[in-house]
Amino acid sequence: MSEVLNGSPNGRSGLSLVPKTDVKQTAKDFKSDQEVRWCPGCGDYAILAAVQSFLPELGLRRENICFVSGIGCSSRFPYYMNTYGFHSIHGRAPAIATGLAASRPDLSVWVVTGDGDALSIGGNHLIHALRRNVNLKILLFNNRIYGLTKGQYSPTSEVGKITKSTPMGSLDTPFNPISLALGAEGTFVARTIDSDRKHLQSVLRAAAEHKGTALVEIYQNCPIFNDGAFDPLKEPGVRDDITIRLEHGEPIIFGAERDKCLRRTPTGGLEVASVADVDPAQIVVHDAHHPDPSLAFALSRLDSPAFRHTPIGIFRQVQRPAYDEQMRAQVEQAIEREGPGDLAALLASGDTWRIDG
């Protein structure tokens, strides 16, 4: 297992180039003067409060933080943050944030998106941001429904979901955002829940420090169009038996009585077993820093529409060169070799001509 330095295995923090503030900050400093307008009971309120509460711990200048959103209920987020923000277009927030992060290494860039925005029209932009490993953080609010457009099924809605657009039940097999991110070679992939602030903030801290793209899927309740979608993960009598809390370097043991564990099957998969029936050496130890994402992917497949078992926490956290860092290095090499260049001269060069009169 590899060592973690400043939130990144064997590497420096993704915030190392972002200016710090000498002024003590509180959550109030990150609240804008805009009225927060989501439906009563929406999980977005809890996520907003968690973000506003943890950002002061980073000690960054607010003018060097930027939130970029697409379209959807979650995309109101930048209005409520007393930082810079960009309410962009449907599905394109990762592309816009890529340009910002690549050109401004002094910024902490965050993308706020939903399961519809990110995984439908924005799916291509999402996977390429993950593949490139741009230094930005993506918060994917997953409520398994289209909320802003009033309750159509989304790319994460379960098979058979009855909605306004699927009155006889959805036929689509849903995306698993964690599996998708791992398949796109994401270097930081995590899942958390809107109602568990302590867990949510711990994941956000790790994501903020990560150098490269961090994707955090947040299970978020929509009380109007998909209320109770994640209730099994929140009910005291049920949640501990189906929720698997991932901790790097720790044996994967769970259950209200800590009597369940994960072990490898003969074919290399994972299965749930009783701790009493398993040799301790056979219990799977979570290694989020392993370069091979096979274990992380196997863990992501334990989730199911019936919530038989749902892992939460950091699935993968590894270091790979950040796209923007490599791009800037190439630019510096080109300038050293060719000189700073002249944009006007370039535009007027080659197959161009001037017509007078």
Side-chain angles (χ1 to χ4, degrees):
M1 297 178 188
S2 52
E3 183 184 2
V4 177
L5 300 174
N6 295 322
S8 296
N10 295 333
R12 61 180 175 79
S13 167
L15 299 174
S16 58
L17 299 179
V18 183
K20 305 283 185 175
T21 179
D22 295 327
V23 179
K24 181 177 175 56
Q25 298 171 329
T26 66
K28 185 177 180 180
D29 294 313
F30 288 91
K31 296 178 180 179
S32 76
D33 60 357
Q34 299 298 299
E35 178 187 0
V36 182
R37 299 184 65 182
W38 285 307
C39 299
C42 177
D44 289 0
Y45 285 101
I47 301 171
L48 175 65
V51 171
Q52 290 170 334
S53 296
F54 108 90
L55 280 178
E57 300 176 15
L58 300 180
L60 305 178
R61 291 171 47 180
R62 287 182 294 114
E63 57 268 38
N64 288 84
I65 301 173
C66 184
F67 284 83
V68 182
S69 66
I71 297 297
C73 295
S74 63
S75 297
R76 296 177 180 270
F77 210 90
Y79 294 104
Y80 308 140
M81 296 297 303
N82 192 20
T83 63
Y84 280 103
F86 197 131
H87 191 173
S88 70
I89 53 181
H90 203 5
R92 274 64 177 185
I96 291 169
T98 292
L100 187 61
S103 60
R104 289 289 303 274
D106 61 325
L107 298 183
S108 175
V109 181
W110 297 74
V111 170
V112 178
T113 185
D115 48 304
D117 185 56
L119 298 172
S120 56
I121 193 170
N124 203 40
H125 296 287
L126 177 71
I127 61 173
H128 288 296
L130 290 162
R131 175 179 68 89
R132 291 184 175 116
N133 200 36
V134 185
N135 192 28
L136 53 87
K137 321 306 164 193
I138 303 172
L139 306 184
L140 196 164
F141 297 13
N142 184 6
N143 55 25
R144 293 182 169 169
I145 203 76
Y146 275 104
L148 186 67
T149 50
K150 307 300 185 284
Q152 298 84 1
Y153 81 114
S154 87
T156 56
S157 296
E158 62 272 23
V159 174
K161 183 74 172 180
I162 295 176
T163 71
K164 294 177 180 179
S165 56
T166 54
M168 298 178 66
S170 170
L171 301 175
D172 290 357
T173 298
F175 273 131
N176 180 320
I178 299 296
S179 299
L180 184 74
L182 292 168
E185 294 294 340
T187 55
F188 184 105
V189 182
R191 175 190 289 144
T192 184
I193 307 172
D194 59 1
S195 60
D196 190 340
R197 178 179 284 203
K198 182 178 180 181
H199 187 269
L200 171 58
Q201 289 185 325
S202 69
V203 171
L204 291 176
R205 289 186 196 100
E209 292 280 357
H210 182 70
K211 186 176 71 170
T213 305
L215 180 128
V216 180
E217 178 191 21
I218 306 174
Y219 281 161
Q220 175 256 324
N221 191 49
C222 175
I224 305 302
F225 298 109
N226 203 22
D227 193 25
F230 304 105
D231 277 357
L233 299 176
K234 301 177 182 182
E235 295 174 4
V238 178
R239 66 188 179 196
D240 290 335
D241 284 324
I242 63 172
T243 304
I244 301 173
R245 293 179 175 268
L246 302 175
E247 295 288 344
H248 172 71
E250 296 295 326
I252 302 178
I253 299 174
F254 63 102
E257 304 298 326
R258 302 283 292 170
D259 57 346
K260 298 180 176 65
C261 67
L262 290 183
R263 67 178 176 185
R264 292 282 191 181
T265 65
T267 58
L270 297 175
E271 66 179 2
V272 176
S274 170
V275 172
D277 298 334
V278 177
D279 184 322
Q282 293 181 312
I283 299 176
V284 174
V285 175
H286 183 46
D287 185 2
H289 303 160
H290 199 288
D292 183 349
S294 298
L295 174 59
F297 190 84
L299 288 168
S300 76
R301 307 311 295 172
L302 294 175
D303 193 17
S304 71
F307 295 105
R308 185 180 176 190
H309 295 99
T310 301
I312 63 172
I314 300 172
F315 289 73
R316 191 181 195 214
Q317 183 184 15
V318 298
Q319 184 185 359
R320 183 157 52 84
Y323 176 87
D324 40 308
E325 207 170 57
Q326 295 183 97
M327 185 197 74
R328 287 192 296 273
Q330 285 190 342
V331 171
E332 290 171 2
Q333 290 173 11
I335 291 174
E336 183 178 350
R337 184 175 63 249
E338 306 290 344
D342 185 329
L343 180 59
L346 175 65
L347 293 175
S349 66
D351 295 329
T352 64
W353 59 92
R354 176 176 175 174
I355 300 176
D356 295 320

